[in-house]
Amino acid sequence: MLMVGLTGGIGSGKSAVASRLAALGAVVIDADRIAREVVAPGSEGLAEIVAAFSDRVLDPQGALDRAALGSVVFADEAARRRLEAIIHPRVRARTAELAAAAPVDAIVINDVPLLVEVGLAPTYHLVVVVRTAVRTRVERLARDRGMDRAEAERRIAAQADDPRREAAADVLLTNDGTLDELHAAVDALWRDRLVPYERNVRERRAVRPERVVLTEPDPTWPRQYARLAARIRHAVGSDPRVDHIGSTAVPGLAAKDVIDIQLTVPSLAEADGALAERLADAGFPRLPGDWWDNPRPPGGPRWEKRLHGSADPARPAHLHLREAGSPGWRYALLMRDHLRADPEQRDAYLRLKRQLAGFAPDSDTYGADKEPWFDEEHRRAEEWAARTAWRT
């Protein structure tokens, strides 16, 4: 199934997005609703909250007085963290139960207000953030929840700010317009990205653009890489070395809009089996067939690797699994660093790319036609490495 994290600041309209996705067929798991369930009267969660904050957070009927609790924790970071330590593990456990009960082809939307604050972004295939101007959010909180301005601003300030939330976002849905406009954006997201993404994950199919289209340098490529790398590390379940490589890792270099990533593995045998399945489950299925890099200089045995891709139709990526210290592993890092350090060679490479993209629009021909330049770049990069004492 496809696991999507949905978040947004208080008053952003996140619930409207969740409702629309549910109407389209998603399985929505509401963290706020679960958070209320795990502190219902008679629950262990409520007993622990009373032990931590006293019975002043209870109403006359013995249920949790959320307003009273909010007045305590939103003004005190330490108190808020104590509350989170009580509620969050219970919410995670219940969320896992509900997700496990969903159909295998489900698109599961995890509606999590504090997704960014608690570091959950890497656990999802995709993170959707609802972005709304603070002024609009304050007005909505006053209109819909009866908050005064000072309280609304305090609640907003207690959460992650917009730049931090947006750094975690694969998708930004702006909700400063009408409800119809928001629904249209959600419908397009469902149709064009979520539905095909779920199918690709289930069928272990990676997205591979066949035609070569050069994109001007995108300053967000490093941030996009960082989100993918975090998911890869989470899938692997340890702390492997993950590097941004290829043209999108070189500032100022036009490139195909495909993020190249290198995952360091102890051996190619370990790249198979369970590791390949974990990556596929996380949205990075293995590409069929045998894969290798051509040796530099030519003539030696080919440099074998494993190649995975992204199942996300809107974010193509190539994930190269190479053995630590192998020639192909070293060259990927060396070429990247040399082009970063040598603007003249970076510009020469860019001219070649533009020329070949016009005459060799398919990926296979485009790659083959660059081979002579790569051979020369290998020589230049090795000379540069020797002069500068470069290390991986």
Side-chain angles (χ1 to χ4, degrees):
M1 62 187 68
L2 190 73
M3 301 295 291
V4 179
L6 171 65
T7 194
I10 185 171
S12 64
K14 175 176 54 63
S15 296
V17 173
S19 295
R20 186 65 173 185
L21 287 167
L24 291 168
V27 174
V28 176
I29 300 175
D30 186 336
D32 266 350
R33 183 176 299 172
I34 296 173
R36 289 191 289 272
E37 291 176 5
V38 300
V39 295
S43 66
E44 293 181 0
L46 181 59
E48 194 169 342
I49 287 175
V50 171
F53 300 105
S54 83
D55 59 6
R56 61 180 169 158
V57 299
L58 296 178
D59 66 17
Q61 289 73 44
L64 183 65
D65 185 333
R66 295 174 68 85
L69 179 61
S71 68
V72 174
V73 302
F74 278 103
D76 184 337
E77 183 176 352
R80 187 168 71 250
R81 293 191 182 282
R82 287 203 304 276
L83 177 64
E84 291 170 355
I86 295 169
I87 294 179
H88 290 174
R90 291 176 167 85
V91 171
R92 286 195 292 269
R94 180 58 177 153
T95 297
E97 290 177 2
L98 293 173
V104 294
D105 61 349
I107 297 173
V108 178
I109 307 297
N110 291 266
D111 181 347
V112 187
L114 299 180
L115 183 153
V116 173
E117 290 85 340
V118 298
L120 291 177
T123 67
Y124 302 108
H125 292 101
L126 201 73
V127 171
V128 178
V129 170
V130 184
R131 175 178 59 187
T132 308
V134 171
R135 182 177 64 181
T136 303
R137 293 162 62 190
V138 170
E139 292 172 353
R140 288 175 181 167
L141 291 172
R143 181 192 67 210
D144 300 336
R145 306 193 195 183
M147 287 187 194
D148 61 40
R149 183 178 186 86
E151 176 66 8
E153 290 176 345
R154 188 158 60 92
R155 295 290 185 98
I156 290 171
Q159 297 181 332
D161 59 18
D162 286 343
R164 183 181 171 197
R165 199 178 284 114
E166 290 168 17
D170 301 287
V171 178
L172 275 174
L173 291 176
T174 299
N175 186 26
D176 291 312
T178 67
L179 185 60
D180 285 344
E181 290 171 337
L182 180 65
H183 283 175
V186 174
D187 292 353
L189 171 65
W190 176 265
R191 178 187 66 246
D192 300 335
R193 192 164 188 179
L194 299 186
V195 169
Y197 196 174
E198 183 282 321
R199 184 171 58 248
N200 288 345
V201 170
R202 178 163 37 90
E203 296 178 358
R204 300 299 200 243
R205 182 169 54 217
V207 176
R208 294 204 71 205
E210 295 299 327
R211 293 185 61 81
V212 176
V213 178
L214 292 185
T215 300
E216 292 306 307
D218 185 343
T220 72
W221 278 334
R223 294 199 295 274
Q224 294 182 55
Y225 153 75
R227 291 194 292 270
L228 297 175
R231 290 190 179 106
I232 291 164
R233 292 189 181 96
H234 179 76
V236 172
S238 58
D239 190 22
R241 176 167 179 172
V242 182
D243 291 281
H244 190 188
I245 60 170
S247 294
T248 61
V250 180
L253 189 58
K256 294 181 293 182
D257 190 17
V258 178
I259 305 294
D260 279 285
I261 303 170
Q262 178 167 275
L263 172 61
T264 301
V265 294
S267 69
L268 291 184
E270 293 193 30
D272 302 325
L275 176 58
E277 284 302 303
R278 288 198 297 271
L279 290 172
D281 288 341
F284 301 95
R286 184 168 170 175
L287 293 173
D290 297 325
W291 296 91
W292 64 88
D293 302 305
N294 291 327
R296 319 283 176 195
R302 65 190 187 184
W303 298 344
E304 292 190 27
K305 65 179 178 182
R306 303 292 184 263
L307 186 63
H308 291 236
S310 169
D312 182 354
R315 179 60 277 161
H318 290 153
L319 176 59
H320 308 257
L321 278 63
R322 297 186 176 104
E323 289 186 5
S326 65
W329 175 88
R330 182 180 184 278
Y331 182 55
L333 300 172
L334 174 59
M335 180 178 173
R336 177 201 67 188
D337 290 352
H338 179 230
L339 292 178
R340 285 174 173 177
D342 191 333
E344 182 178 340
Q345 290 306 319
R346 183 192 64 210
D347 292 345
Y349 184 37
L350 177 56
R351 288 193 297 272
L352 175 69
K353 285 158 66 80
R354 292 194 189 282
Q355 177 184 356
L356 293 181
F359 293 101
D362 65 281
S363 294
D364 290 342
T365 305
Y366 175 78
D369 287 351
K370 290 194 293 184
E371 285 300 308
W373 190 89
F374 284 141
D375 291 336
E376 286 299 310
E377 168 59 14
H378 177 262
R379 177 186 57 79
R380 289 188 296 264
E382 289 291 1
E383 292 173 353
W384 171 80
R387 288 195 311 271
T388 61
W390 173 83
R391 295 290 182 271
T392 52

